[in-house]
């Protein structure tokens, strides 16, 4: 008789296979990146870089007790955010994290707690992490008695896996060598191959011993030696940082701590040059380490020496005063310089320094001079390339260069002074080496210069005023605040720095496109006195940045002597001139219609390279930004006499060399075209832009009018800057306005509301007052009346140009609630005027059936239809990418002349004016349901006859392309603009969406007006409590499902077909819930998200497939109770269960993927898309299975209503069958009801149904475990036996309580063609 209980079944291999599938999926998705993962530095590239974004370090043991630890951070980009933190540090009960903002060329120190210092040989968790969002360089400083010892930190991206220890020797009895190993990555294994003697734990290890240590992320181990540890090899599984040093060094001075970060073997070189120290009096030491057998040529001055080194050996050689050293080898070696210090009276401390190999030399460096030190820049360069070393943008030809015997190199030294400062040193074409060294009383230091391989220094010439703004914004960012002005500054500087990258070419097209977009920034159009300083600073920074970027683009293309580029916002022309040789001629640069005449000598006087650049820029719209925002209010003018003037030209800029020259030897002439024709009574002034004390001003000094007429002016200036023309009337105040009573309008069809505004403006002008809105109305109507004159023809070009300029009017971009009515009126008037003018232009050219024009601000197409023709067809008008389909009959019915005209206009920027100024605040929306939407198309207008028809017989179709791709969850509305009671509104009535997709929408409207698309999210934001309920419920469900799976697998007393069904259902549900919990939000990688959605589709369908099989099994079981002879009942073969249970879902998923593979995965969840009804590939089979199972259960209940107990003496079997039916119905209710609740998440009860859906769904696993395990008497008995640790024999035939997994009689098990599981 068999024994039953929690024992491994005979088919244990099947159990292992099932769980191997589970853990395979777990392992597969553990490799998926988090949804919010951000890029970090790549580790172990083996390139000797000093600039990076992540650094790690620690502070080793040193003599004495008082220490001061710091990290010195140098910035290379504006607004670099830096965080300094200490892992696992809880000093004073709080974590340590210091956040700073560092600008380019700026040095900042961050002090870390003294308690992070490491004592003795020990594992330590307190690794210091420095992290930045842009490249920085970091120097670690350990101060002892105010004597700092420093080391350059190498970024995480430069760490390696193999290092060789070098520890300098000393005669001090209190000194001993040490090194520390730190890891950035988790679960790192490190091997230490000892050479010498060191302490580890409680033992001493000697040469030949190997230690193995395991480190978690941001952990390290400090080892201290008894003697010299040079030659000890460190090998790690993942990259590590290694610091080496000497606890106490006392050869010539008071005891001092020395330390340095080692370079990994993979970054070693074969050739090294070591210049002598400027203050050197005694022999210093150089350590040469080989990782494999090599021959080293060591040459001290004229004395060469050849030495053969075995792998792992360290060679020590002297470096004598004033004599350079060259070292070369046939394989890579490590070279470290060790200054032993000097004794009094000229004492200096010892320091340890990596020597860069020749292959790692670069063309640009940054170094920091230290305060209180006599600082020097030691340089090693190719002998033929020394004449063009540039220090802080100035060529240095006074450096004395000394030959390095046996090489093609020379070395030189340049004093930097005692003050703390940052210096840029570069060579335009040849790599060189730079060491930063310094000495002071009882102190000295030496570190390699920070090599900048990515960014030049030519684009960093901020004025003092700009630096003040940078400092202000730094405080804003540190406080975590948001500032539109500071964001503009940051974006501009990032753009400039990107163009200054050394390893990439820059075209003028890129300069114009990138900086041109900034001219549309809201910070430049900000109003109010409090924003004027910000706008002035922003304008100044933008002007300087464009000049520097244009000069950089010119210098990076020496093959192109002349370059020019014209875009919508600006035009640029550059010219290259060779610095060699005098030149007395002049030349002209042209940008749009403006010109600059400059003398060749002016350019060649600003040399920093062999080829010099000059740039001339003309801005299309900058004059309107400055003029209309500030000048009319007198905010930017430097002199009272200029207050009544207006800008009447484009703003232009001139620059030479590496930036502007404010004073030049020969004047420069600028020819500037007038925006509007100069009147006889107007006076012209040439002015330039200055930023003084944070305020922008137009000033006259240094500029005079050389020549002027009605169309242009020539300005004569003795400096380079940004220039424009001021123009105005000095005669009698006042002028006659068109809004007087003496003018008749032939084209006007103003609405009553517009007439009210005209009446109001008329009163304003009669009182002699000025109003920006009334000036706009006047100008618009003057333009319209001019085009409506009977005696002149009008072209569409003439319509688009003047009305297009009105789109830049400050009236349309005015903010504040008190101005919204004026803006709405101005927009309405402008829209009506353009339509009337376009129709007039079409009717004035009867020979041109179709006319089109496209400008920066708008596109127009018109068509003429003979009124006599009876046409029954529709035709299409196109403006930019938008189209209007209108019926011929609509045009002819509106005709008042022989021909009917139709016009279609598309506005390039009007949607941004309305959207950003009003719509986001709900100011122009007609209905509350539109308040959360945004305009996502151009504004278009349609008109026929002599004006708009509000009602037409046949609808008009508009095809509008989306500004941004429409997302799946967004809703689209077709709206039109209407003017009601002095307020502009977007309304839907009369318009409907005919068709929409991700790129465009077709609107059908029963009237003509101005139209656009409103688009926005209709779904509610995810509820945080609902999210918590989901995660907690699914986690609990997974635990219960896991216990149920173990029970079904290991409890042999309940093995039968029902148990197999439950087991497969639990497995599918477990995997589906687990995958949903871990991967449904991983939408960052499209392909991975689609795979996740496919797996979820399959697994949830499999759950319902096994539910169907359960329903079928229950139905057959109960039906067999009616049969007297059980064995003759219909049997369903078990071998068909698995093909159906797993094959049917696979077939559905395969067909779905073949039909629409893009339906898997959305922008927010890894599930099925709603587009094209793709979600019904899941809901369809699920609903069908639920309906079929309901049929089975109804039939089962019908059978059970008969008294089947007469068929068998064992009535308990019937009771068990009823219990089985009850449990199965309950289980179907849980699974089926869950998804049906999801279908009812609509209307006001949406959130209630969402919570019910989530709660019920997350209890599935708990319910299965409760019903099939805890409420099953046999399983409870097995639990008790397992807990007690006893296993009693079980009877062969089970006639007691029957679980949901089995239906028995007194003699047989009822199954699908299987015998009883009782033992024989």
């Amino acid at each position: 008789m068999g024994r039953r209980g929690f024992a491994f079944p005979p088919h244990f291999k099947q159990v292992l296979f099932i769980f191997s599938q589970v853990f395979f999926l777990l392992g597969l998705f553990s490799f998926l990146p988090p949804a919010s993962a951000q890029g970090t530095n790549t580790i172990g590239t083996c390139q000797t870089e000093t600039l990076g974004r992540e650094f790690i370090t620690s502070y080793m043991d040193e003599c004495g007790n008082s220490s001061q630890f710091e990290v010195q951070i140098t910035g290379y980009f504006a607004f670099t955010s830096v965080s300094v933190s200490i892992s696992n540090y809880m000093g004073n009960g709080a974590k340590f994290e210091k956040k700073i903002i560092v600008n380019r060329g700026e040095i900042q120190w961050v002090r870390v707690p003294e308690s992070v210092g490491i004592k003795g040989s020990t594992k330590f968790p307190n690794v210091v992490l420095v992290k930045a969002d842009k490249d920085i360089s970091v120097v670690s400083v350990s101060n002892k008695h105010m004597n700092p010892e420093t080391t350059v930190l190498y970024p995480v991206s430069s760490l390696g896996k193999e290092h060789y220890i070098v520890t300098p020797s000393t005669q001090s009895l209190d000194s001993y060598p040490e090194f520390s190993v730190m890891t950035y990555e988790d679960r790192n294994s490190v091997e230490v191959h000892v050479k010498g003697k060191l302490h580890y734990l409680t033992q001493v290890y000697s040469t030949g011993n190997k230690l193995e240590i395991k480190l978690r992320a941001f952990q390290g181990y400090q080892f201290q030696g008894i003697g010299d540890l040079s030659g000890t090899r460190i090998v790690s599984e993942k990259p590590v940082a290694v610091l080496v040093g000497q606890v106490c060094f006392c050869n010539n001075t008071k005891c001092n701590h020395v330390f340095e970060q080692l370079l990994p073997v993979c970054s070693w070189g074969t050739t090294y040059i070591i210049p002598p120290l400027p203050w050197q009096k005694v022999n210093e030491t150089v350590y040469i380490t080989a990782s494999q057998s090599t021959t080293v040529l060591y040459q001290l001055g004229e004395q060469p020496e050849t030495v053969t080194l075995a792998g792992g050996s360290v060679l020590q050689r002297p470096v004598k005063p004033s004599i350079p050293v060259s070292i070369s080898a046939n394989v890579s070696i490590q070279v470290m310089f060790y200054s032993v210090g000097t004794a009094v009276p000229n004492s200096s401390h010892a320091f340890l320094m990596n020597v860069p190999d020749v292959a790692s030399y670069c063309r640009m460096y940054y170094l920091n001079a230290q305060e209180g030190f006599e600082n020097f820049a030691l340089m090693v360069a190719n002998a033929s390339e020394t004449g063009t070393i540039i220090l802080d943008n100035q060529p240095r030809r006074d450096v004395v260069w000394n030959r390095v015997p046996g090489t093609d190199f020379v070395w030189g030294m340049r004093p930097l002074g005692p003050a703390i400062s940052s210096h840029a040193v570069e060579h335009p074409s040849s790599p060189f080496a730079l060491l930063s060294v310094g000495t002071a009383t009882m102190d000295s230091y030496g570190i390699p210069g920070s090599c900048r391989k990515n960014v030049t220094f030519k684009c960093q010439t901020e004025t003092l005023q700009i630096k003040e703004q940078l400092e202000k914004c730094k405080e804003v960012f540190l406080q975590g605040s948001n500032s539109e002005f500071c964001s503009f500054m940051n974006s501009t500087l990032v753009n400039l720095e990107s163009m200054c990258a050394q390893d990439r070419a820059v075209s003028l097209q890129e300069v114009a496109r990138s900086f041109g977009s900034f001219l549309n920034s809201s910070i430049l159009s900000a109003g109010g006195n409090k924003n004027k300083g910000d706008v002035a600073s922003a304008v100044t920074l933008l002007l300087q940045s464009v000049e520097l970027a244009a000069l950089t683009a010119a210098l990076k293309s020496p093959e192109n002597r002349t370059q020019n580029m014209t875009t919508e916002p600006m035009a640029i022309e550059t010219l290259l001139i060779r610095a060699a040789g005098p030149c007395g001629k002049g030349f002209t640069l042209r940008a749009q219609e403006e010109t600059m005449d400059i003398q060749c000598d002016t350019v060649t006087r600003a040399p920093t390279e062999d080829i010099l650049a000059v740039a001339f820029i003309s801005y299309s719209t900058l004059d309107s930004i400055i003029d209309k925002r500030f000048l009319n209010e007198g905010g930017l003018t430097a002199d009272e006499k200029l207050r009544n003037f207006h800008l009447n030209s484009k703003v232009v800029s001139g620059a030479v060399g590496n930036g502007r020259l404010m004073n030049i030897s020969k004047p420069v002439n600028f020819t500037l075209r007038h925006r509007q024709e100069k009147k006889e009574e107007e006076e012209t002034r040439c002015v330039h832009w200055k930023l003084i004390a944070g305020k922008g001003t137009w000033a006259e000094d240094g500029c005079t009018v050389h020549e002027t007429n009605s169309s242009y002016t020539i300005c004569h200036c003795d400096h380079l800057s940004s220039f424009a023309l001021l123009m105005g009337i000095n005669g009698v105040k006042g002028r006659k306005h068109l809004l007087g009573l003496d003018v008749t309008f032939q084209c006007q069809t103003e609405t009553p509301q517009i007439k009210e505004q005209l009446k109001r403006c008329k009163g304003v002008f009669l009182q002699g007052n000025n109003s920006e809105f009334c000036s706009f109305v006047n100008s618009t109507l003057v333009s319209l009346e001019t085009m409506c004159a009977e005696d002149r023809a009008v072209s569409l070009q003439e319509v688009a140009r003047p009305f297009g300029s009105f789109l830049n009017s400050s009236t349309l971009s005015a903010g504040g609630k008190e101005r919204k009515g004026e803006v709405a009126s101005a927009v309405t008037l402008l829209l009506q005027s353009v339509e009337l003018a376009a129709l007039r232009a079409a009717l004035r050219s009867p020979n041109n059936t179709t006319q089109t024009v496209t400008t920066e601000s708008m596109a127009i197409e018109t068509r003429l239809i003979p009124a006599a023709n009876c046409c029954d067809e529709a035709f299409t008008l196109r403006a930019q990418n938008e189209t209007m389909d209108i019926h011929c009959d609509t045009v002819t019915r509106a005709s008042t002349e022989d021909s009917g005209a139709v016009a279609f206009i598309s506005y390039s920027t009007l949607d941004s004016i309305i959207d950003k100024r009003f719509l986001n605040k709900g100011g122009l929306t007609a209905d509350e349901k539109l308040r959360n939407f945004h305009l996502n198309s151009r504004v278009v207008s349609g008109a026929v006859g002599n004006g708009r028809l509000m009602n037409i017989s046949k609808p008009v179709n508009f095809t509008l392309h989306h500004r941004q791709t429409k997302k799946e969850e967004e809703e689209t509305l077709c709206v039109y603009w209407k003017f009601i009671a002095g307020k502009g509104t977007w309304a839907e009535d009369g318009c409907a969406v005919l068709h929409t997709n991700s790129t465009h929408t077709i609107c059908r409207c029963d009237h003509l007006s101005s139209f656009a698309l409103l688009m926005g999210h209709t779904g509610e934001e995810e509820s945080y409590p609902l999210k918590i309920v989901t995660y907690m419920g699914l986690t609990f469900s997974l635990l219960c499902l896991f216990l149920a799976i173990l029970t079904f697998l290991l409890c042999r007393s309940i093995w039968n077909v029902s148990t197999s069904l439950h087991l497969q259902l639990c497995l599918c549900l477990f995997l589906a819930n687990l995958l949903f919990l871990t991967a449904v939000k991983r939408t960052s990688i499209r392909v991975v998200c689609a795979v996740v959605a496919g797996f979820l589709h399959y697994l949830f369908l499999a759950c319902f497939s096994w539910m169907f099989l359960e329903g079928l099994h229950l139905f057959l079981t109960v039906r067999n109770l009616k049969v007297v002879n059980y064995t003759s009942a219909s049997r369903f073969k078990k071998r068909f269960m698995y093909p159906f249970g797993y094959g049917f879902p696979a077939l559905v998923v395969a067909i779905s993927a073949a039909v629409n593979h893009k339906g898997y995965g959305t922008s927010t969840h890894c599930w099925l898309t709603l587009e094209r009804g793709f979600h019904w590939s899941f809901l369809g089979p699920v609903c069908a299975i639920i309906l079929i199972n309901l049929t089975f259960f109804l039939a089962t209940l019908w059978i059970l209503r008969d008294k089947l107990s007469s068929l068998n003496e064992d009535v308990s079997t019937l009771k068990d069958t009823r219990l089985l039916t009850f449990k199965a119905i309950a289980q179907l209710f849980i699974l089926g009801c869950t998804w049906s609740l999801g279908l009812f998440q609509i209307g006001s009860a949406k959130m209630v149904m969402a919570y019910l859906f989530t709660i019920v769904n997350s209890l599935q696993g708990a319910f299965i475990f409760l019903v099939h395990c805890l409420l099953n008497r046999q399983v409870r008995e097995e639990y008790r036996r397992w807990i007690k640790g006893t296993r009693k024999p079980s009877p062969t035939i089970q006639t007691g309580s029957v679980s949901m997994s089995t239906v028995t009689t007194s003699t047989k098990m009822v199954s699908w063609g299987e015998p009883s599981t009782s033992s024989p």
Side-chain angles (χ1 to χ4, degrees), residues 136-286:
I136 58 173
S137 62
V138 182
V139 174
S140 178
V141 182
S142 177
N143 284 328
K144 175 66 180 175
H145 303 306
M146 302 306 294
N147 296 319
E149 172 59 10
T150 61
T151 180
V152 169
L153 297 185
Y154 298 98
V156 170
S157 58
S158 293
L159 301 183
K161 302 178 183 179
E162 183 181 12
H163 299 76
Y164 278 88
I165 301 300
V166 173
T167 54
S169 59
T170 178
Q171 304 301 321
S172 173
L173 297 178
D174 297 329
S175 179
Y176 43 89
E178 59 184 0
F179 66 92
S180 63
V181 182
M182 297 155 287
T183 182
Y184 177 86
E185 295 189 82
D186 200 9
R187 302 184 185 278
N188 202 349
S189 177
V190 181
E191 294 179 359
V192 180
H193 300 265
V194 182
K195 191 169 184 180
K197 290 185 178 181
L198 59 77
H199 294 282
Y200 178 65
L201 299 179
T202 59
Q203 301 182 30
V204 175
Y205 292 82
S206 304
T207 301
N209 293 136
K210 182 176 76 170
L211 309 179
E212 293 185 8
I213 58 174
K214 304 291 185 180
L215 297 175
R216 301 299 299 266
F218 305 110
Q219 286 186 346
Y221 206 106
Q222 176 174 280
F223 296 91
Q224 292 183 335
I226 301 174
D228 187 12
L229 297 177
S230 296
T232 297
R233 181 172 176 246
I234 310 295
V235 181
S236 58
E237 181 182 354
K238 300 175 182 177
V240 294
V242 179
L243 293 175
V244 298
Q246 197 77 20
V247 173
C248 245
F249 184 89
C250 304
N251 274 6
N252 294 305
T253 62
K254 293 177 65 175
C255 293
N256 190 44
H257 173 58
V258 296
F259 72 106
E260 186 77 355
Q261 181 174 344
L262 291 178
L263 290 170
V265 172
C266 55
S267 65
W268 293 0
T270 58
T271 306
Y272 297 82
I273 307 294
I274 306 175
L277 296 177
W279 65 87
Q280 185 175 341
K281 302 296 181 182
V282 298
N283 288 349
E284 312 289 11
T285 304
V286 62

Side-chain angles (χ1 to χ4, degrees), residues 1086-1097:
R1086 173 69 181 173
V1087 175
V1088 173
C1089 184
V1091 172
V1092 171
F1095 271 111
L1096 287 174
H1097 189 193

Side-chain angles (χ1 to χ4, degrees), residues 614-820:
V614 57
F616 179 57
I617 307 108
S618 173
Y619 297 90
S620 301
T621 59
L622 191 57
D623 59 298
S624 64
I625 293 173
I626 299 171
D627 185 24
K628 302 290 178 67
R629 300 292 170 183
F630 304 90
L631 192 62
N632 285 343
E633 299 174 12
L636 294 183
T637 57
D639 193 341
E640 185 65 27
K641 63 186 177 182
L642 302 181
R643 290 186 184 275
N644 294 323
F645 283 64
H646 62 279
L647 284 181
N648 195 25
S649 72
K650 295 183 174 76
V651 176
V652 299
S653 295
V656 298
N658 287 330
R660 308 182 187 185
L661 281 180
M662 286 305 297
N663 295 292
I664 51 181
S665 57
K666 297 181 180 180
V668 178
N669 289 343
F670 295 91
T671 302
L672 306 181
R673 297 280 170 179
H674 303 159
R675 288 284 198 184
Q676 298 174 3
E677 186 173 286
K678 178 181 176 293
K679 299 178 181 179
E680 184 176 347
E681 64 270 23
E682 286 186 316
E683 182 180 340
T684 303
R685 303 265 175 85
C686 296
V687 292
H688 68 95
W689 175 264
K690 299 199 282 192
L691 187 72
I692 301 176
K695 296 181 179 179
T697 67
W698 285 110
E700 293 183 86
D701 51 292
C703 284
T704 59
V705 175
H706 184 65
E707 178 186 340
T708 186
N709 59 26
S710 61
S711 59
Y712 67 88
T713 295
I714 300 177
C715 296
H716 202 62
C717 300
D718 62 4
H719 60 274
L720 291 178
S721 179
S722 297
F723 304 88
L725 296 178
L726 281 179
M727 199 172 291
I729 301 174
N730 272 340
V732 180
K733 288 187 178 180
R735 55 176 175 159
K736 189 174 183 179
H737 285 267
L738 189 61
L739 293 172
L741 300 176
D742 56 337
V743 180
T744 302
F745 294 96
Q746 299 176 357
C747 284
Q748 276 188 254
T749 58
E750 300 95 347
T751 63
Q753 293 81 5
I754 293 295
K755 289 183 178 180
E756 288 180 9
Q757 299 297 332
L758 294 177
K759 185 177 181 180
R760 190 187 82 176
C761 288
K762 178 178 176 182
V764 170
F765 287 128
L766 285 175
Q767 295 171 10
N769 297 328
N770 187 25
S771 165
E772 193 172 38
F773 167 70
C774 293
S775 297
F776 176 87
V777 173
N778 181 59
S779 300
T780 305
L781 292 177
V782 167
S783 297
L784 180 60
E785 176 61 19
T786 301
M787 296 176 190
C788 291
E790 288 290 339
D791 57 346
R792 63 187 297 266
V794 181
S795 67
L796 284 186
Q797 179 70 32
E798 189 175 354
V799 173
R801 188 175 63 251
F803 286 115
S805 65
F806 292 160
L807 289 170
N808 296 322
S809 169
S810 57
T811 299
L812 297 186
S813 55
K817 293 183 179 179
E818 69 278 2
R819 305 290 301 277
K820 288 182 180 177

Side-chain angles (χ1 to χ4, degrees), residues 1139-1150:
F1140 179 83
Y1142 290 111
F1144 171 71
L1147 179 63
V1148 173
V1149 172

